[in-house]
């Protein structure tokens, strides 16, 4: 069974550009989470989807970040326009039930220059 | 404010030696505590999960302890191997109306050397 996959694995963009990260959860998992780790700091929660609905988006830093999960399958996280402080590793995780373990993808390393 | 603090920040040990990593948390309400191992370039992978009523849980050479009264956990690694070199992250789960919320520690970077 395929795990959580994220694309791209690395992205380097200039300040002001747009970047879209993609996450494919484990098939059948209704819960999908986005997290990010900024250099030297802990991994922090961004938002939580249950199927296509945003259950909790309290961790989204500002309106430059837009997450979608059309059809309740894969999810995208768009950053527009990107700023230098957006650099970090963005992780996606999925779980079949909110009480169960969340399985993480390998992360997307975003570098804004 | 929900927080998870880990110590030490980094650790270097010789292959074959044991080590213990610490985790203190202030997350409430508490649901469970997991230790994750994160290899470079990979996502975190769960090693152990402990609920409120569990004191000790083992997974091979990894043994986790939990003291829910003092809100402390430890991860003990026995007979370390080079492949144990990784970041070890303590994650506390809190069930709220919005679902399962995870609070991450900053991690302990472990390096095992010959």
């Amino acid at each position: 069974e395929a795990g959580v996959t994220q694309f791209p694995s690395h992205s380097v963009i200039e300040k002001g550009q747009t970047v879209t990260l993609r996450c494919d959860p484990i098939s059948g998992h209704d819960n999908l989470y986005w997290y990010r780790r900024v250099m030297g700091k802990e991994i922090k929660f961004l938002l939580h989807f249950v199927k296509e609905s945003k259950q909790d988006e309290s961790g989204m830093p500002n309106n430059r970040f837009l997450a979608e999960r059309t059809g309740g399958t894969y999810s995208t996280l768009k950053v527009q326009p990107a700023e230098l402080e957006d650099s970090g590793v963005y992780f996606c995780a999925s779980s079949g039930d909110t009480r169960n373990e969340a399985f993480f993808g390998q992360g997307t390393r975003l570098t804004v220059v | 404010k929900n927080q998870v603090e880990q110590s030490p920040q980094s650790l270097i040990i010789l292959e074959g030696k044991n080590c213990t990593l610490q985790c203190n948390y202030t997350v409430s309400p508490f649901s469970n505590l997991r230790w994750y191992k994160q290899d470079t370039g990979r996502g975190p992978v769960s090693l152990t999960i402990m609920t409120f009523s569990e004191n000790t849980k083992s997974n091979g050479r990894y043994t986790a302890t939990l003291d829910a009264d003092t809100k402390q956990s430890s991860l003990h690694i026995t007979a370390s191997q080079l492949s144990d070199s990784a970041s070890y992250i303590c994650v506390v789960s809190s069930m709220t109306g919005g679902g399962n919320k995870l609070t991450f520690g900053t991690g302990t970077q472990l390096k095992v050397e010959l």
Side-chain angles (χ1 to χ4, degrees):
Chain A
E1 177 185 280
V4 177
T5 55
Q6 293 185 243
F7 183 83
S9 56
H10 293 86
S11 180
V12 180
I13 61 171
E14 291 184 349
K15 176 183 172 181
Q17 288 186 322
T18 298
V19 63
T20 300
L21 314 181
R22 173 170 168 148
C23 168
D24 285 71
I26 292 173
S27 178
H29 279 188
D30 288 340
N31 295 277
L32 187 149
Y33 307 84
W34 282 99
Y35 298 89
R36 75 171 176 177
R37 176 177 234 160
V38 174
M39 180 71 75
K41 300 197 173 181
E42 69 272 25
I43 297 173
K44 285 193 173 176
F45 169 82
L46 294 177
L47 89 160
H48 170 205
F49 282 102
V50 177
K51 295 185 181 178
E52 67 274 9
S53 299
K54 293 176 184 174
Q55 183 76 11
D56 181 353
E57 51 184 328
S58 61
M60 294 288 265
N62 52 61
N63 59 10
R64 294 186 294 102
F65 288 75
L66 175 63
E68 294 180 322
R69 192 183 182 196
T70 306
T73 54
Y74 71 91
S75 173
T76 58
L77 179 64
K78 181 192 288 188
V79 185
Q80 179 182 28
E83 297 290 342
L84 299 179
E85 64 264 25
D86 299 333
S87 296
V89 181
Y90 289 77
F91 291 101
C92 173
S94 74
S95 70
D97 184 288
T98 53
R99 291 179 293 263
N100 290 348
E101 176 184 356
F103 293 87
F104 285 80
Q106 83 283 8
T108 292
R109 180 174 293 279
L110 174 65
T111 302
V112 183
V113 297
Chain B
K1 181 182 176 183
N2 287 343
Q3 282 188 313
V4 177
E5 295 182 349
Q6 292 186 242
S7 62
Q9 203 170 30
S10 62
L11 183 62
I12 301 175
I13 61 174
L14 294 176
E15 186 182 30
K17 297 296 184 183
N18 304 336
C19 67
T20 300
L21 315 180
Q22 301 290 344
C23 172
N24 296 342
Y25 62 91
T26 59
V27 176
S28 181
F30 175 89
S31 179
N32 60 61
L33 183 148
R34 289 183 188 271
W35 282 92
Y36 281 84
K37 178 186 179 187
Q38 184 176 9
D39 293 304
T40 302
R42 294 178 178 267
V45 176
S46 179
L47 294 173
T48 64
I49 177 173
M50 303 186 71
T51 58
F52 186 87
S53 59
E54 296 175 299
N55 300 122
T56 303
K57 184 165 283 189
S58 292
N59 176 7
R61 295 180 297 102
Y62 301 105
T63 299
T65 66
L66 175 66
D67 185 334
D69 291 329
T70 61
K71 298 188 177 181
Q72 296 179 326
S73 175
S74 67
L75 180 69
H76 186 74
I77 304 175
T78 305
S80 61
Q81 301 176 357
L82 296 179
S83 58
D84 292 333
S85 296
S87 177
Y88 290 83
I89 307 171
C90 176
V91 183
V92 181
S93 174
S94 179
M95 285 297 291
T96 66
N100 193 5
K101 205 111 180 223
L102 303 181
T103 303
F104 288 74
T106 51
T108 292
Q109 190 66 40
L110 174 66
K111 187 174 182 182
V112 181
E113 296 181 335
L114 289 172

